[in-house]
Amino acid sequence: MQHWNSYWSNTKTLNSFAEGQQQHGYSGDIAQFWQAILQPVAENSTIVDIATGNGGLAVLAQQHNASFNIIATDAADINPLTLFSPSDDCYPALQQIQFMANVPTEQLTLASNSVDLVISQFGFEYAPLAAALAQIHRVLGKKGKFIALVHSQHSFITQDCQDGATVLQQLLQTDGLLSQLMQFANLCQALATETQLSTAQQQQFSEHNTALLQFFRQTQQQFTVQNQQEWFNLIAKDLVPLIMNWQSLTSATVDKTKQNLQHFLQRIQDQIASAWTNQRAEEVKALCQTTWQQVSVEQMQIEEGVLCWIVQLQK
Ligand SMILES: C[S@@+](CC[C@H](N)C(=O)[O-])C[C@H]1O[C@@H](n2cnc3c(N)ncnc32)[C@H](O)[C@@H]1O
């Protein structure tokens, strides 16, 4: 969970697309889907957003209807109010939502039959399926509904994550760019203690610097797929200033950067592993048909292609 804990506590974003426009909350097709779901929900309903992250969907629901009693759970150590301030649009909603950190979906601590609607945006699929479904079923009251948008193996999001994972793995491999950067940082740190560099030291630095920049370009050129190039450029944006400001470059800085990238890779790998295939969707349908009154699992298609699965269950 450390990779999610550090992401949610250090990134001022409402959801896991921190690099995109969705960081300020859901918009476009996803927001429209949820607005339509929430429209007929009765005033004062109790709604639980599972695997909420920093509460992107919970905020959308709370802003949709202030009378909703929203509870937002996640297995990670979330506390979004510490990141946002009263000047942020989402702040009043965040204040109203009851966040419950360190609560895995498969171990929901809420009372049985206490919830009207359970919702999830790219979160339910991260938990062990049967145990999570059993808990959701338990907490829902009579005729309660569970509605989730679930990652698909066939979506453009998963394709994008696969490209991201390829790039990150390459940069983090034993003799990859990050390890070259670490060697450079060790040299910079050693030279920084000198009051004046000798000619030999200047030459040593210059050779290392040239070799690193060459390695950087070689790595960049290895990515021939356009989306992988974009991933490389996104990551390089944080690496270039480290090399440029070599006077203050330390091994600790590179270690920190490496750890952030490792966490990023883990989050992406989690996403890829959680995404459902057609077969998985069929298995889920079969499993649910024995315990739920109404079961629907279908693919959501938007202009860009397959977005996700839509899961709708009624108790
Ligand atoms: C892709 S993020 C989605 C977060 C949020 N719903 C959003 O739309 O941004 C997946 C979330 O699942 C959470 N998670 C992973 N395993 C979980 C589990 N077993 N139970 C509950 N949450 C879990 C992670 O901590 C992370 O916050």
Side-chain angles (χ1 to χ4, degrees):
M1 263 303 131
Q2 195 43 45
H3 53 300
W4 285 113
N5 291 343
S6 76
Y7 177 74
W8 294 124
S9 54
N10 295 315
T11 324
K12 191 181 171 187
T13 174
L14 276 184
N15 57 41
S16 49
F17 299 96
E19 292 75 25
Q21 55 176 338
Q22 307 271 355
Q23 63 176 290
H24 302 298
Y26 284 108
S27 58
D29 295 289
I30 293 178
Q32 271 171 28
F33 171 84
W34 287 113
Q35 299 291 3
I37 293 294
L38 295 167
Q39 201 53 43
V41 175
E43 296 274 304
N44 304 309
S45 289
T46 296
I47 302 176
V48 179
D49 177 26
I50 52 166
T52 189
N54 274 349
L57 178 56
V59 165
L60 182 147
Q62 193 69 81
Q63 287 176 338
H64 180 91
N65 189 330
S67 83
F68 290 161
N69 165 34
I70 310 244
I71 301 166
T73 61
D74 199 288
D77 199 11
I78 49 162
N79 190 3
L81 269 178
T82 59
L83 293 163
F84 293 87
S85 59
S87 61
D88 293 307
D89 287 350
C90 60
Y91 197 76
L94 284 175
Q95 275 187 309
Q96 209 182 331
I97 296 162
Q98 183 192 341
F99 282 96
M100 295 174 71
N102 308 304
V103 176
T105 309
E106 65 275 23
Q107 291 165 24
L108 281 182
T109 47
L110 302 163
S112 300
N113 306 309
S114 63
V115 175
D116 302 299
L117 173 66
V118 174
I119 52 178
S120 171
Q121 173 66 48
F122 297 151
F124 159 65
E125 63 273 41
Y126 288 73
L129 185 86
L133 276 173
Q135 284 302 311
I136 293 166
H137 192 274
R138 179 185 67 75
V139 300
L140 279 171
K142 202 172 166 212
K143 298 243 186 241
K145 286 186 184 169
F146 170 49
I147 302 180
L149 293 187
V150 166
H151 279 304
S152 161
Q153 284 274 337
H154 315 288
S155 73
F156 55 87
I157 300 176
T158 301
Q159 178 55 58
D160 184 44
C161 286
Q162 272 155 353
D163 285 333
T166 302
V167 173
L168 282 162
Q169 273 161 343
Q170 169 82 281
L171 299 187
L172 290 165
Q173 71 188 16
T174 323
D175 53 355
L177 187 55
L178 264 291
S179 82
Q180 303 294 324
L181 185 59
M182 180 56 97
Q183 285 176 27
F184 182 64
N186 287 334
L187 175 70
C188 294
Q189 211 172 325
L191 295 181
T193 60
E194 305 285 336
T195 36
Q196 198 175 2
L197 298 188
S198 67
T199 313
Q201 284 170 325
Q202 282 178 19
Q203 194 177 342
Q204 189 191 17
F205 172 79
S206 168
E207 280 168 11
H208 259 82
N209 195 15
T210 309
L212 179 65
L213 292 175
Q214 222 166 30
F215 192 86
F216 191 97
R217 273 193 289 274
Q218 276 166 8
T219 308
Q220 186 172 31
Q221 282 159 8
Q222 275 171 25
F223 302 114
T224 49
V225 175
Q226 193 194 336
N227 198 38
Q228 291 179 3
Q229 288 167 350
E230 284 169 17
W231 270 95
F232 179 85
N233 293 340
L234 177 84
I235 296 161
K237 240 185 15 211
D238 293 336
L239 301 183
V240 171
L242 297 183
I243 303 172
M244 292 305 162
N245 300 318
W246 64 269
Q247 291 94 335
S248 52
L249 184 63
T250 64
S251 55
T253 320
V254 179
D255 252 341
K256 184 79 201 138
T257 306
K258 191 171 169 189
Q259 196 192 55
N260 287 342
L261 292 179
Q262 273 160 343
H263 282 166
F264 196 3
L265 177 59
Q266 274 177 287
R267 295 198 316 272
I268 290 177
Q269 286 172 330
D270 270 10
Q271 189 278 323
I272 297 169
S274 74
W276 290 2
T277 56
N278 291 348
Q279 193 191 338
R280 182 75 166 152
E282 287 306 317
E283 285 166 7
V284 174
K285 256 198 262 185
L287 179 71
C288 291
Q289 256 138 15
T290 56
T291 30
W292 297 79
Q293 294 294 322
Q294 284 177 31
V295 177
S296 159
V297 180
E298 55 188 38
Q299 207 150 246
M300 181 168 174
Q301 184 98 22
I302 61 168
E303 218 179 300
E304 293 94 319
V306 173
L307 178 66
C308 59
W309 295 99
I310 305 173
V311 178
Q312 302 198 68
L313 309 175
Q314 181 163 12
K315 196 166 164 182

